[in-house]
Amino acid sequence: MPVGARVLNRRFVQQQKKLIVPVFIARLAHAVVRTMATSNSTATTTTDPGPGDAYALALERLAQLQSNRAVTSLFDRPPSDPSVDPNALAVPEMLAWLRRAGYTPQSLAASGLRCVHVAGTKGKGSVSAFVASILQQSLAQPGGGDGRRRRRRVVGLYTSPHVVSVRERLVIDGAPLPPAVFARDAELAGPATKPFYFRFLTLVAAHAFAAEGVTDAVVECGIGGEHDATAALLADPALVTAAVVTQLGVDHVAMLGDAVDKIAWHKAGVFKPGRKGFTVRPPTEAAAEVLRARAREKGAEALVVLGDDEVEAWEGVDGARLRGPFQKKNMALAAAAAREHLLRTGAALDGRFGTDGWALADMPEAFRRGLREASLRARGEVVADDDAGIEWHVDGAHTDDSLAGVGRWFRDRTGAGDGDGAVTVLLFNQQDRNPGPLLRALLASPGAPSFDHAVFARNEEASAAGGDLSVQRALADAMKAIRPEAQTAVYDAVRPAVEHVRRIAARAKQDRRPCKVLVTGSFHLAGPVLKAIGQEEP
């Protein structure tokens, strides 16, 4: 472990001795989970479970934390005191939690950690995964051609949301944190002394990066950028090598605003003094001007805008695991940011790619390999069930533009609507946003697929009494209006919906026809579906 990380861990343990209830346990040998008093009890017991039990208990207690939805819902109604901006309190509160955990942005910077910070409306998870994969491929060799020994560089990735396992959010050198390590780094003692869910996991990321000796990391914002928990984590500009704003759109209106230019202001909060910002062409000139103004305000070295023509002229990378025509722009943005990070951290890039006159076509094989190998759950994920004759296409798209892109991707892959003989099924839900316009974006955009069946289900894995099906029934009505030829069905949970799809596939198989399914509309739907079809966490 690097010396800086050991110093941070000693400071962390010393800090914990001063706390009434610890936030983390920094023991590296094994997981220790303390059962502590809740507000209804003063008894305290200590157990020493095995790694599997510790992980299960960590997940159980993690689920007790205040959810992200509970926090974002605070913005759905006018504040009791209009003079108080809840957003403005976020970073100071997060810095206080970070200090309580034994860290500061300055101590993380002193450890040698350097990060790419990624914000945006669409594609920020994919861009983050691409950057991390490029860094891992480019830094795979600890030594150089001159024979000198160099410190091994460890690549970390922090993204959200997770789809099947919370460990997806924290990846070290291409692998999610093992269950025992996650339980060690995320010791919980009930919700009373913890920040809400996303902030807590951001603290877990800080500790995991220090404990595992991470030197190079990619950190994805949760919501926005200016007031995001990750902005507190990376408040010291020395931590950041490059800032990225991916494609912009309208989302999280209550927190970020109802227009793209307002949302651009928040996303541009990741820009740092003396560092380059990277983005693609914004959808409006107003949003572009906001990004330029914010870059000046933040003292950024430059704002690099990748033009559409430049991206289209590039041949791209074939055979990528993250699929879809929209990924080409994400790949280009990731390559630019990864290049900047490597140069700022002392890596050598050969040929024209290491000069100011570089172009996307000049990228080395390590970059191309990184773009091909990058993966992220429920982003263009394809699962084949040959025995059942089903090909599942799973994507957590949940904005109008993203859903339109996913529809084109599904049609391009499957020929849905081209009369190729396959039975096509849509499995869709969106519980938190107005779902009707999102369904129309999927079905009515140019190049949209057609479906023989449409199934609408709540996100819960199993049926439970009292589930409100008004959203699903409204979606079925909308489907009948847009595509009257499609047969619709409504379910109160994912598992019975998946069984319905399997019955459709069984009938199709009798007719020697494959069944191709698109699962989309929400990550909260994608996760339970992946579990239901046997894609459990590793």
Side-chain angles (χ1 to χ4, degrees):
M1 181 185 299
V3 173
R6 289 199 295 270
V7 171
L8 284 171
N9 285 329
R10 286 199 300 271
R11 185 180 303 146
F12 168 76
V13 174
Q14 293 165 359
Q15 179 82 1
Q16 297 310 297
K17 293 178 180 178
K18 302 176 183 178
L19 300 179
I20 297 173
V21 182
V23 177
F24 304 119
I25 283 183
R27 294 181 60 180
L28 303 181
H30 63 282
V32 176
V33 179
R34 296 175 178 175
T35 304
M36 304 190 69
T38 66
S39 57
N40 297 322
S41 172
T42 58
T44 301
T45 60
T46 302
T47 60
D48 191 5
D53 292 338
Y55 179 57
L57 185 53
L59 294 183
E60 177 184 333
R61 289 180 167 172
L62 186 61
Q64 297 174 26
L65 298 184
Q66 188 178 26
S67 69
N68 295 341
R69 178 56 189 153
V71 175
T72 57
S73 66
L74 298 175
F75 292 81
D76 293 343
R77 55 185 181 275
S80 56
D81 183 354
S83 66
V84 176
D85 179 7
N87 267 328
L89 304 175
V91 169
E93 289 174 358
M94 184 62 189
L95 286 170
W97 282 110
L98 191 62
R99 287 192 298 271
R100 185 173 176 180
Y103 298 98
T104 65
Q106 291 73 30
S107 68
L108 292 170
S111 76
L113 177 65
R114 295 296 180 265
C115 304
V116 176
H117 201 186
V118 182
T121 307
K122 296 169 289 186
K124 61 190 175 79
S126 295
V127 168
S128 298
F130 282 135
V131 174
S133 184
I134 290 172
L135 296 184
Q136 188 181 350
Q137 294 292 335
S138 300
L139 300 173
Q141 299 300 321
D146 55 8
R148 295 169 55 193
R149 295 185 64 186
R150 293 185 175 89
R151 172 186 175 186
R152 177 176 177 266
R153 290 170 68 168
V154 179
V155 178
L157 172 63
Y158 177 53
T159 60
S160 62
H162 66 272
V163 178
V164 175
S165 166
V166 68
R167 297 184 296 110
E168 296 165 27
R169 297 179 182 234
L170 267 168
V171 174
I172 308 294
D173 275 347
L177 281 188
V181 176
F182 182 88
R184 176 203 72 197
D185 290 346
E187 191 274 331
L188 299 176
T193 58
K194 304 295 182 291
F196 69 80
Y197 192 91
F198 181 73
R199 289 184 185 177
F200 182 81
L201 288 176
T202 303
L203 295 173
V204 174
H207 180 54
F209 286 170
E212 301 300 313
V214 170
T215 55
D216 305 79
V218 184
V219 177
E220 178 194 355
C221 288
I223 296 176
E226 177 71 20
H227 304 299
D228 190 65
T230 61
L233 184 70
L234 303 181
D236 187 339
L239 277 164
V240 179
T241 55
V244 179
V245 175
T246 67
Q247 298 176 71
L248 293 171
V250 177
D251 199 8
H252 299 293
V253 170
M255 294 184 71
L256 306 180
D258 58 359
V260 177
D261 56 326
K262 295 177 182 177
I263 291 169
W265 186 93
H266 285 273
K267 305 293 185 182
V270 298
F271 294 156
K272 290 290 189 292
R275 301 292 185 267
K276 290 179 181 177
F278 295 86
T279 192
V280 291
R281 187 174 65 85
T284 68
E285 179 54 33
E289 179 50 40
V290 168
L291 292 181
R292 289 191 291 266
R294 290 284 275 159
R296 293 191 296 269
E297 173 192 335
K298 294 283 188 177
E301 177 184 322
L303 177 60
V304 179
V305 182
L306 296 184
D308 290 348
D309 292 343
E310 178 182 2
V311 175
E312 286 304 315
W314 175 49
E315 73 278 12
V317 174
D318 292 330
R321 296 172 67 181
L322 288 176
R323 305 171 176 92
F326 43 86
Q327 292 292 11
K328 187 177 179 183
K329 189 174 290 187
N330 293 334
M331 287 180 177
L333 194 52
R339 175 187 177 276
E340 179 69 10
H341 175 90
L342 290 169
L343 291 175
R344 281 199 173 271
T345 56
L349 295 173
D350 296 332
R352 200 167 76 133
F353 197 65
T355 71
D356 290 341
W358 71 279
L360 290 168
D362 302 322
M363 71 174 63
E365 179 55 31
F367 273 56
R368 297 178 184 276
R369 191 164 56 246
L371 293 173
R372 281 194 297 269
E373 294 299 318
S375 64
L376 211 56
R377 299 305 303 265
R379 275 81 163 185
E381 186 168 357
V382 179
V383 179
D385 183 346
D386 294 333
D387 291 339
I390 307 175
E391 190 174 73
W392 300 88
H393 301 74
V394 186
D395 196 289
H398 52 274
T399 66
D400 52 0
D401 289 343
S402 296
L403 283 163
V406 165
R408 291 192 294 273
W409 163 69
F410 181 70
R411 179 162 184 163
D412 289 345
R413 268 195 59 84
T414 67
D418 295 338
D420 71 338
V423 173
T424 54
V425 183
L426 171 65
L427 178 49
F428 186 93
N429 191 42
Q430 175 46 250
Q431 206 71 34
D432 297 326
R433 297 167 172 84
N434 183 359
L438 297 177
L439 183 63
R440 283 191 289 274
L442 172 66
L443 298 172
S445 299
S450 64
F451 295 95
D452 300 305
H453 301 265
V455 183
F456 303 101
R458 288 180 59 87
N459 297 330
E460 288 81 9
E461 288 187 48
S463 298
D468 181 8
L469 291 174
S470 58
V471 169
Q472 288 69 38
R473 292 190 180 108
L475 284 167
D477 290 341
M479 185 75 186
K480 292 171 185 174
I482 302 169
R483 297 288 174 83
E485 70 279 6
Q487 299 181 44
T488 61
V490 168
Y491 286 94
D492 63 352
V494 164
R495 289 194 179 277
V498 167
E499 288 306 313
H500 181 86
V501 173
R502 286 179 170 143
R503 289 192 294 271
I504 293 171
R507 292 193 297 270
K509 191 173 183 179
Q510 290 177 349
D511 296 333
R512 301 183 182 278
R513 300 173 67 191
C515 181
K516 298 180 180 181
V517 184
L518 175 61
V519 180
T520 193
S522 172
F523 286 114
H524 300 296
L525 173 69
V529 169
L530 286 168
K531 289 181 181 179
I533 64 175
Q535 300 297 301
E536 300 287 348
E537 69 174 276

